[in-house]
Amino acid sequence: MSKPVLWLRCEKKEFERRAALTPTTAKKLLNTGFDIFVERDDQRIFDDSEYEAVGCKLVDNNSWPSAQKSVPIIGLKELPESTDPLPHTHIQFAHCYKNQGGWSKVLSRFHRGGGTLYDLEFLTDAQGRRVAAFGFHAGFAGAAAGALAVAANRKGEELGHLTPYENETAMVDDVKARLGGGGKGLKALVIGALGRCGRGAVDLFQKIGLEDADIIKWDLDETAKGGPFNEILEVDVFVNCIYLSSKIPPFVTHETIDKAGKGRRLAVVVDVSCDTTNPFNPIPIYNVNTTFDKPTVPVPVAEGNPPLAMISIDHLPTLLPREASEQFSTDLLPSLLEFPSRQTSRVWVDSEKLFKEKLASAAEVEGL
């Protein structure tokens, strides 16, 4: 019986430094009999030598298209846009199961190539909860970015280039310093505060020194009445952490922003969920993703009203790439150990079933 194999591809998304497999988890897979190929990657937070030291086989950067079709390819972010057919099995976030922009074209590549997609967002346990998610670090980093944008706003400036931090302590210290020594006096509202993402946002605000009364924590009960919510306009930074799969009333709109006039306190909105092209987006005040080199985009406001910045970076956890990768990869490991039995392992069987359903829908849309 041949050894199970995984091929860790490099990430082509600009500024992305995380990895789906870390040297720590790769070693555990190797110890159970896997062969692990790792593409060389100067952008990744983990040095190539860290993988080589635990026994991985290094291969050229972005060489996965030449791998045998039977070799599963694992990565994090979506592949670069292309029309090339995909004959391999891919384990990754593809962002194409919720009718996001271009979703059918992404899946049509698998249809034409005969490959399979196991979307990391939809690997779930028996209770329907994701087996691995970056939620906590997404919320933590999103709140940090929001606080940094408030600090810039207070100086009449826009937030500049964001650079990933070596560790959490470095991030917290930098945010506190830019706020003038800490976050006391800053007021924040987190929607989705009971989830992993929301807990991460709350944790960051606590660690930079916000008083508990100034961290407003909302979840299903508080939003049940339906938006828009004027309370959002009465804080310095609003962080959206909800996972949305159906249409709900918007949380905030251009109309409510303009109605607040010159008295609006809200200076920064952070959409950690960042489903910019999702037709159900509950924050319909922006339509573009922001990036690490330009992390904010101005929200149009009535003349004379205070500025409002929007952050919609779709890979926020890479602000803490090493810690975020270690946590995610550790959580994913038990499922990866079952991957050789994916024809019978429930988590993989369910994922493939969902893929085939979405693939059929895409084929119909694309006329394949």
Side-chain angles (χ1 to χ4, degrees):
M1 185 175 178
S2 59
K3 277 188 172 185
V5 180
L6 284 174
W7 182 297
L8 177 64
R9 62 171 171 83
C10 63
E11 298 293 329
K12 301 303 289 183
K13 188 177 184 72
E14 195 172 17
F15 309 117
E16 181 55 74
R17 302 197 68 197
R18 293 172 296 169
L21 292 182
T22 68
T24 304
T25 51
K27 186 176 190 303
K28 291 177 180 178
L29 288 165
L30 289 163
N31 289 345
T32 65
F34 275 76
D35 273 341
I36 307 291
F37 294 89
V38 176
E39 292 185 355
R40 299 179 186 276
D41 189 1
D42 291 337
Q43 183 170 290
R44 189 186 292 130
I45 188 67
F46 303 99
D47 292 338
D48 295 341
S49 59
E50 294 182 66
Y51 289 99
E52 193 169 33
V54 299
C56 297
K57 300 172 183 176
L58 297 184
V59 292
D60 291 341
N61 183 278
N62 202 39
S63 59
W64 65 264
S66 64
Q68 292 183 8
K69 293 180 183 179
S70 60
V71 175
I73 313 299
I74 186 169
L76 282 180
K77 299 304 291 183
E78 64 272 18
L79 296 169
E81 288 187 17
S82 171
T83 57
D84 292 344
L86 293 172
H88 292 91
T89 291
H90 286 264
I91 306 168
Q92 65 177 61
F93 289 102
H95 306 295
C96 63
Y97 280 5
K98 295 185 285 186
N99 292 357
Q100 295 98 324
W103 71 275
S104 59
K105 295 190 183 303
V106 172
L107 287 170
S108 70
R109 297 179 64 190
F110 288 93
H111 187 279
R112 288 182 283 106
T116 301
L117 169 65
Y118 292 103
D119 195 308
L120 289 166
E121 185 176 351
F122 297 91
L123 296 181
T124 57
D125 62 20
Q127 287 72 47
R129 186 176 173 84
R130 289 167 63 176
V131 299
F134 283 102
F136 183 88
H137 287 98
F140 196 93
L148 291 171
V150 170
N153 177 278
R154 289 174 174 175
K155 296 179 180 179
E157 302 171 353
E158 291 184 2
L159 180 60
H161 191 121
L162 290 174
T163 301
Y165 294 89
E166 285 300 316
N167 53 56
E168 179 185 302
T169 300
M171 172 185 277
V172 170
D173 288 349
D174 183 49
V175 175
K176 289 169 70 173
R178 294 209 225 175
L179 285 169
K184 188 174 182 179
L186 191 72
K187 193 169 186 178
L189 190 154
V190 178
I191 293 186
L194 297 182
R196 282 182 281 203
C197 178
R199 291 198 304 271
V202 169
D203 190 44
L204 181 282
F205 286 134
Q206 291 172 335
K207 285 178 175 172
I208 65 172
L210 271 71
E211 296 180 351
D212 192 61
D214 287 335
I215 308 173
I216 302 171
K217 311 174 190 73
W218 280 15
D219 212 273
L220 290 173
D221 289 346
E222 292 80 7
T223 58
K225 64 182 180 180
F229 302 109
N230 288 329
E231 292 92 336
I232 290 174
L233 307 171
E234 299 167 358
V235 300
D236 297 291
V237 56
F238 160 48
V239 184
N240 176 47
C241 294
I242 71 162
Y243 181 86
L244 186 66
S245 58
S246 59
K247 187 173 179 60
I248 61 173
F251 294 153
V252 62
T253 65
H254 287 293
E255 290 74 20
T256 58
I257 291 168
D258 288 343
K259 189 175 180 180
K262 295 180 175 59
R264 170 175 46 81
R265 180 170 180 170
L266 182 67
V268 179
V269 175
V270 183
D271 189 5
V272 179
S273 301
C274 205
D275 277 335
T276 310
T277 61
N278 188 330
F280 304 138
N281 183 6
I283 308 177
I285 61 173
Y286 77 103
N287 57 14
V288 296
N289 283 351
T290 59
T291 56
F292 274 58
D293 58 339
K294 188 171 174 52
T296 65
V297 63
V299 176
V301 297
E303 186 174 352
N305 286 351
L308 178 59
M310 184 79 213
I311 296 175
S312 55
I313 299 171
D314 66 2
H315 58 140
L316 278 165
T318 203
L319 267 183
L320 279 177
R322 185 174 289 269
E323 289 157 313
S325 297
E326 290 286 14
Q327 173 262 310
F328 180 86
S329 193
T330 297
D331 290 347
L332 183 62
L333 179 61
S335 297
L336 291 178
L337 290 169
E338 293 181 4
F339 190 70
S341 304
R342 59 188 175 277
Q343 302 305 321
T344 55
S345 170
R346 188 206 52 76
V347 65
W348 298 105
V349 169
D350 287 356
S351 179
E352 185 168 350
K353 179 183 177 183
L354 179 60
F355 163 68
K356 288 178 178 177
E357 292 171 358
K358 298 296 183 179
L359 188 68
S361 297
E364 184 175 351
V365 169
E366 294 293 322
L368 299 175

